[in-house]
């Protein structure tokens, strides 16, 4: 892939806030998941070691919620950008609302709820849709299945390819993320100086250098940014 910046290429980088108005809880807002669950119990290798049934129950519930949720106006607006641009969605989200909202090129860096994998061979990945898994559900090599999710202390997925894409994007649109989790948040720092870079978020503790922050809800703001970019104008 060439390192040249392409004005017809957009990277959209998203977090839980883009799915909040589809009814899915974020992690760190006041009603967020990490206020109601102990991260170490459900999202770490040690938690899995200690109580796999609890971890499976947690992700079974998340999977069911995500399957019942519908893409919102922000997910759908992002897909409209494909009319005029090459669009790569890089998401920290484990739901599939971007795909169901019409985005064709979606890269998941923290895994996918619909998928489970073998604890013996990480290449053995299965799409289970809305199904649940319990202890005793095994892969074809006889090992327990686990969620295909990146837990704290595990390696992020698709980091290098995400950096390659953002390095060549003429525009970057960031939506609904606290940017609290690295290395995923660090991908944004790899965007080019001359790229147009916008963040749509309800609040922002530390804005990355060179990004303009538009404060507001994803479903209210994102369709306008998309209209402007499809109309060829600049957001100021
Ligand atoms: P967070 O919960 O940390 O942040 C959500 C962000 O979305 C906050 O900055 C909110 O202000 C914003 N927000 C909430 N509702 C919004 C709305 N309707 N419109 C626009 N913005 C809104 O979620 P993430 O940044 O996605 O990782 O969290 C990053 C990672 O932490 C997740 O991928 C997950 C979690 O631990 C793993 O589990 C590995």
């Amino acid at each position: 892939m060439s390192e040249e910046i392409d004005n017809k290429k957009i990277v959209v980088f998203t977090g839980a806030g883009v799915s909040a108005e589809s009814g899915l809880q974020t992690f760190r807002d006041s009603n967020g998941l990490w206020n109601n669950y102990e991260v170490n119990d459900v999202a770490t290798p040690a938690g899995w070691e200690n109580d796999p049934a609890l971890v499976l129950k947690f992700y079974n519930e998340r999977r069911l919620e995500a399957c019942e949720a519908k893409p919102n106006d922000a997910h759908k607006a992002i897909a409209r950008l494909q009319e005029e641009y090459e669009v790569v969605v890089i998401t920290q989200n484990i739901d599939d609302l971007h795909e169901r909202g019409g985005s064709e090129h979606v890269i998941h860096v923290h895994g996918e709820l619909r998928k489970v994998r073998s604890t013996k061979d990480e290449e053995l990945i299965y799409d289970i849709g809305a199904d649940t898994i319990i202890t005793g559900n095994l892969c074809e090599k006889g090992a327990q299945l686990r969620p295909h999710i990146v837990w704290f202390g595990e390696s992020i997925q698709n980091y290098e390819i995400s950096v390659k894409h953002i390095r060549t994007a003429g525009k970057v649109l960031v939506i609904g993320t606290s940017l609290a989790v690295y290395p995923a948040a660090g991908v944004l720092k790899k965007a080019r100086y001359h790229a147009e870079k916008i963040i749509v978020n309800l609040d922002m503790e530390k804005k990355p250098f060179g990004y303009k922050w538009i404060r507001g809800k994803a479903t209210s703001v994102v369709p306008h940014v998309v209209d402007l970019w499809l109309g060829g104008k600049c957001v100021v």
Side-chain angles (χ1 to χ4, degrees), residues 18-229:
V18 78
S19 296
E21 293 165 83
S22 292
L24 300 181
Q25 281 171 278
T26 62
F27 294 95
R28 293 175 185 78
D29 290 314
S30 54
N31 62 345
L33 281 168
W34 294 156
N35 284 320
N36 299 316
Y37 293 89
E38 187 50 59
V39 181
N40 290 323
D41 291 346
V42 296
T44 61
W48 172 251
E49 192 81 9
N50 186 44
D51 191 347
L54 175 75
V55 176
L56 292 176
K57 180 171 177 287
F58 175 76
Y59 287 103
N60 285 339
E61 287 169 4
R62 306 282 80 72
R63 190 177 304 109
L64 204 59
E65 283 170 3
C67 284
E68 283 170 359
K70 300 220 167 5
N72 63 43
D73 287 347
H75 297 107
K76 291 179 199 164
I78 292 163
R80 280 201 287 123
L81 288 167
Q82 295 167 152
E83 291 166 16
E84 287 188 22
Y85 296 90
E86 177 194 350
V87 180
V88 181
V89 178
I90 301 171
T91 188
Q92 300 165 93
N93 296 346
I94 53 181
D95 64 56
D96 63 351
L97 291 175
H98 284 300
E99 289 91 337
R100 286 195 278 134
S103 288
E104 284 166 12
H105 190 171
V106 183
I107 296 175
H108 290 267
V109 293
H110 285 165
E112 293 171 75
L113 274 170
R114 289 176 58 105
K115 295 181 180 169
V116 296
R117 72 170 185 262
S118 164
T119 47
K120 188 175 187 179
D121 177 353
E122 61 182 30
E123 302 292 315
L124 286 178
I125 300 168
Y126 306 88
D127 191 330
I128 60 164
D131 282 355
T132 54
I133 47 168
I134 55 171
T135 49
N137 287 157
L138 308 179
C139 73
E140 64 215 55
K141 291 188 177 171
Q144 175 65 43
L145 291 170
R146 59 159 277 179
H148 186 52
I149 303 286
V150 175
W151 291 327
F152 288 94
E154 294 186 321
S155 295
I156 186 177
Q157 296 169 2
N158 299 314
Y159 179 79
E160 282 81 13
I161 189 72
S162 298
V163 168
K164 276 188 178 164
H165 281 299
I166 207 164
R167 293 280 308 153
T168 51
K171 296 184 196 298
V172 179
L173 176 58
V174 181
I175 309 162
T177 172
S178 61
L179 299 176
V181 175
Y182 280 77
V187 170
L188 297 191
K189 295 185 179 156
K190 308 289 184 184
R192 299 293 272 274
Y193 180 79
H194 290 293
E196 184 176 0
K197 301 184 280 294
I198 292 177
I199 300 186
V200 177
N201 224 30
L202 283 183
D203 53 57
M204 190 86 268
E205 264 180 31
K206 206 170 162 226
K207 185 174 71 65
F209 176 75
Y211 284 77
K212 290 177 204 146
W213 174 31
I214 304 178
R215 181 182 201 148
K217 288 190 169 184
T219 60
S220 310
V221 179
V222 173
H224 292 293
V225 176
V226 167
D227 285 345
L228 285 164
W229 281 357

